[in-house]
Amino acid sequence: MDRASSMLFGGVHFDRKRFASDIERFKEKEAEQDIQIETESQPIESAGIENGRKKKRKANTFEAVESFSVFKASEPVHIVEVDSSEQKKEVEKQIEQAALLRKKHGIHISGHNVPAPLQSFEELSSRYGCKPFLLRNLSELGFKEPTPIQRQAIPILLSGRECFACAPTGSGKTLAFLCPILMKIKPGSGDGIKAVVICPTRELAAQTTRECKKLTKGRKFYVKLMTKELARTGDFKKMPCTVLVSTPLRLDFAVRKRKLDLTRVEYLVLDESDKLFELGFVEQIDSVVKACSNPSIIRSLFSATLPDSVEELARSIMHDAVRVIVGRKNSASELIKQKLIFAGSEEGKLLALRQCFAQSLNPPVLVFVQSKERAKELYKELAFDDIKADVIHADLSQEQRENAVDNFRAGKTWVLIATDVISRGMDFKGVNCVINYDFPESAAAYIHRIGRSGRAGRHGEAITLYTEEDKPFLRNIANVMVASGCEGPSWILSLPKLRRKKHRPQRDSISTAPDDNEE
DNA sequence: AAAAAAT
């Protein structure tokens, strides 16, 4: 992760070292004056920075100074001059109310002056002047109550704070970052790209674009998906585009080819951020973060899994970010019934899978394997069975991938065999069962895979096959099961803690048991 | 091991 860390440090815009002198001077001033809360009417510049500087420099300094906690206001700055005990009481009451609401919804925050969570979507208009079109679209799309992550993350982003957010799979993270963008950005072609959303796969980028378009119905927002065509030919100066959704490499490519101007981007969202911080992605992310040079940009990170390493990284690059965690960190949805099935050996898995299907095949079902090769092989195996099966992995053409997703969405495919391409973020309505044919390589992979079911309040089931060689890694999974309210098999939980080694299965090909008397 | 560009 060290390399990753230095990569991302390269993208820091608000460099404490660079502004060290300002900060020092400011501290002195602060000590002289006693701490005094700044308001909009009394601009921060007047507190310690001489006039007559260049405008840009001033803006940067403002940012650096602003990063000091005392001066960070959260709400659309009505500052709290507490003269009377009446007002003091009122403020205390509000803070207490916010805390209660957070507790009720399992929202945990860290950071100072965090705005109160939303009571309802209507509060978006009373508190933040939300335009009617968005509320109308939300209600028409069937979003009645905000989910916990939406309640907390939306006000944070609307009050101009950066944030990193961790909430379970299927709990509405996409809407949580799209709403503030659509509220803050004006419709029309405007002048350039104002918001960028980065996703780890094309399928997810396409899905996020669709969601965003649905929310903008009735308004002329230019929401664009960065397709192959667009990356190659795209002249973004002529083509109106205010919200751009992309995978990292295409975006990076377009930036390097100077086809794209990101200097006016006001919102940058890294969806599935822990994935995007993996080596191979992080370099591209770094390049894009650098290209978004607007000093008042608001960056946010969203994922269902947030390893400590990523959290540390995020803290180092982000500007006074608020951290929001819904429920328990790195846990799966409680609506998924999780099961473990012992298949003995690699050879036993195919039989175990067929038995699963024979007992109850309740489509749609997703089956995850470890590699593209294994996906192809398992597909061949099942093609002889009487099941409508299909397969998706990155060796397929874009069109084939799209078809696989569409057919699965439409219910034409009962069983979709997949690599981890679609393990994150994809929202297939009503996946009844996820089967891990191959043991997931990490707890995070497990959480994302099984999170394809049990979404938006629905129930789901997850079955994980394991073999003798997977046993040393079972404990990880059992821990997730317990953390998300499933009964962890006690014999596993009493196993000794495993060494921190990654699960690297040596599986080459799907093998049928070498027996003649099958079926 | 997988994913993400194009030449």
Side-chain angles (χ1 to χ4, degrees):
Chain A
M1 212 55 185
D2 255 338
R3 204 175 127 214
S5 150
S6 67
M7 276 296 173
L8 276 160
F9 271 115
V12 179
H13 296 305
F14 305 107
D15 183 342
R16 278 174 183 264
K17 268 186 200 154
R18 194 174 144 207
F19 298 115
S21 60
D22 293 312
I23 290 168
E24 276 313 307
R25 207 163 16 160
F26 194 79
K27 274 187 183 158
E28 286 163 27
K29 206 79 180 177
E30 180 181 298
E32 280 167 35
Q33 295 184 346
D34 249 355
I35 294 169
Q36 181 188 344
I37 294 176
E38 299 296 331
T39 67
E40 243 176 9
S41 58
Q42 189 184 355
I44 284 167
E45 287 96 314
S46 68
I49 294 138
E50 312 100 339
N51 300 323
R53 289 173 184 240
K54 277 179 196 155
K55 208 175 174 186
K56 194 181 170 194
R57 171 72 176 152
K58 206 162 158 183
N60 282 340
T61 311
F62 183 90
E63 292 291 343
V65 170
E66 210 188 20
S67 76
F68 280 87
S69 55
V70 199
F71 299 98
K72 200 71 191 187
S74 59
E75 290 291 291
V77 195
H78 38 239
I79 285 289
V80 204
E81 293 266 316
V82 190
D83 339 303
S84 70
S85 64
E86 273 296 298
Q87 279 174 312
K88 198 172 175 181
K89 260 190 199 159
E90 185 56 35
V91 168
E92 274 168 6
K93 203 180 125 200
Q94 281 174 14
I95 291 172
E96 198 180 314
Q97 249 181 8
L100 275 173
L101 197 54
R102 284 186 194 114
K103 198 171 178 193
K104 183 178 165 195
H105 294 287
I107 301 167
H108 308 279
I109 49 152
S110 42
H112 46 270
N113 286 342
V114 180
L118 297 174
Q119 311 250 16
S120 66
F121 280 127
E122 285 68 43
E123 220 179 310
L124 286 178
S125 63
S126 57
R127 251 168 86 185
Y128 296 102
C130 180
K131 299 276 189 300
F133 86 92
L134 186 58
L135 288 179
R136 194 183 59 233
N137 287 340
L138 284 170
S139 121
E140 274 176 14
L141 291 165
F143 300 109
K144 294 190 177 70
E145 288 278 296
T147 65
I149 188 61
Q150 291 160 5
R151 286 177 198 272
Q152 186 60 86
I154 294 175
I156 290 171
L157 291 171
L158 282 176
S159 55
R161 299 283 292 276
E162 300 201 317
C163 98
F164 45 115
C166 182
T169 52
S171 70
K173 291 187 285 295
T174 306
L175 219 65
F177 61 72
L178 287 181
C179 285
I181 291 176
L182 297 178
M183 283 172 65
K184 286 282 184 170
I185 287 171
K186 293 190 191 84
S189 56
D191 41 4
I193 299 166
K194 291 299 177 59
V196 170
V197 179
I198 307 182
C199 310
T201 63
R202 295 176 207 153
E203 281 74 16
L204 184 54
Q207 176 183 292
T208 304
T209 310
R210 264 200 311 279
E211 287 303 305
C212 191
K213 282 184 174 164
K214 282 189 216 162
L215 288 172
T216 58
K217 197 184 142 204
R219 277 290 177 288
K220 267 232 170 300
F221 276 99
Y222 294 90
V223 181
K224 285 266 162 20
L225 172 66
M226 180 77 109
T227 57
K228 194 189 257 178
E229 275 303 291
L230 206 54
R232 195 161 42 85
T233 64
D235 189 348
F236 289 85
K237 278 150 208 152
K238 281 179 207 143
M239 188 188 50
C241 172
T242 30
V243 180
L244 182 63
V245 185
S246 178
T247 48
L249 201 47
R250 278 182 183 168
L251 195 56
D252 183 29
F253 183 76
V255 168
R256 285 177 198 277
K257 290 274 181 228
R258 305 197 179 271
K259 296 206 183 253
L260 202 53
D261 176 20
L262 297 182
T263 58
R264 301 185 122 123
V265 172
E266 290 163 18
Y267 285 89
L268 175 64
V269 179
L270 306 183
D271 196 10
E272 306 293 346
S273 45
D274 53 333
K275 183 78 190 172
L276 296 177
F277 278 14
E278 281 181 10
L279 281 180
F281 269 145
V282 76
E283 298 87 344
Q284 299 151 25
I285 298 297
D286 181 61
S287 153
V288 174
V289 169
K290 274 181 189 155
C292 296
S293 57
N294 182 347
S296 55
I297 189 169
I298 296 162
R299 292 160 296 187
S300 55
L301 272 54
F302 283 79
S303 184
T305 49
L306 193 65
D308 292 342
S309 55
V310 170
E311 213 180 307
E312 268 168 51
L313 252 175
R315 265 213 199 87
S316 71
I317 64 159
M318 288 174 75
H319 182 58
D320 191 39
V322 181
R323 168 186 188 257
V324 186
I325 290 177
V326 172
R328 289 186 59 171
K329 205 174 139 186
N330 304 339
S331 73
S333 159
E334 304 200 344
L335 297 168
I336 306 168
K337 206 199 281 170
Q338 304 172 53
K339 287 184 199 160
L340 292 163
I341 293 181
F342 183 55
S345 61
E346 173 60 35
E347 287 74 29
K349 285 201 215 168
L350 198 54
L351 190 59
L353 183 68
R354 289 210 167 99
Q355 269 171 7
C356 270
F357 288 165
Q359 271 170 23
S360 76
L361 181 59
N362 189 13
V365 175
L366 263 172
V367 180
F368 282 106
V369 293
Q370 189 64 22
S371 71
K372 292 182 272 198
E373 287 311 313
R374 288 175 62 77
K376 293 171 198 170
E377 288 166 21
L378 185 57
Y379 176 58
K380 275 185 205 154
E381 286 293 337
L382 292 187
F384 295 112
D385 296 10
D386 218 4
I387 296 169
K388 282 187 203 171
D390 199 1
V391 64
I392 185 168
H393 52 75
D395 273 357
L396 301 179
S397 72
Q398 188 60 46
E399 198 192 348
Q400 287 172 311
R401 281 167 65 161
E402 273 163 28
N403 287 339
V405 169
D406 290 346
N407 289 334
F408 190 60
R409 282 222 159 93
K412 291 178 194 164
T413 303
W414 297 352
V415 177
L416 183 59
I417 299 154
T419 59
D420 283 324
V421 231
I422 55 158
S423 69
R424 281 174 176 261
M426 294 306 293
D427 189 36
F428 303 111
K429 292 275 177 311
V431 170
N432 287 314
C433 182
V434 170
I435 299 176
N436 288 313
Y437 187 86
D438 289 338
F439 205 78
E441 68 155 23
S442 66
Y446 176 75
I447 289 167
H448 286 282
R449 282 178 176 189
I450 71 171
R452 294 321 95 211
S453 92
R455 301 178 73 79
R458 283 195 177 84
H459 287 266
E461 188 184 16
I463 297 170
T464 301
L465 304 184
Y466 68 97
T467 65
E468 203 61 49
E469 44 173 28
D470 297 324
K471 272 188 179 170
F473 305 93
L474 269 179
R475 216 199 134 104
N476 268 340
I477 304 304
N479 288 342
V480 174
M481 292 172 72
V482 172
S484 44
C486 277
E487 269 177 57
S490 51
W491 68 270
I492 296 175
L493 293 170
S494 64
L495 286 176
K497 282 208 170 177
L498 68 134
R499 50 225 152 109
R500 278 201 164 270
K501 218 177 120 190
K502 266 217 169 176
H503 191 276
R504 294 217 181 273
Q506 296 291 309
R507 300 178 185 111
D508 299 320
S509 64
I510 303 276
S511 44
T512 325
D515 51 14
D516 318 313
N517 55 348
E518 209 188 18
E519 263 119 340

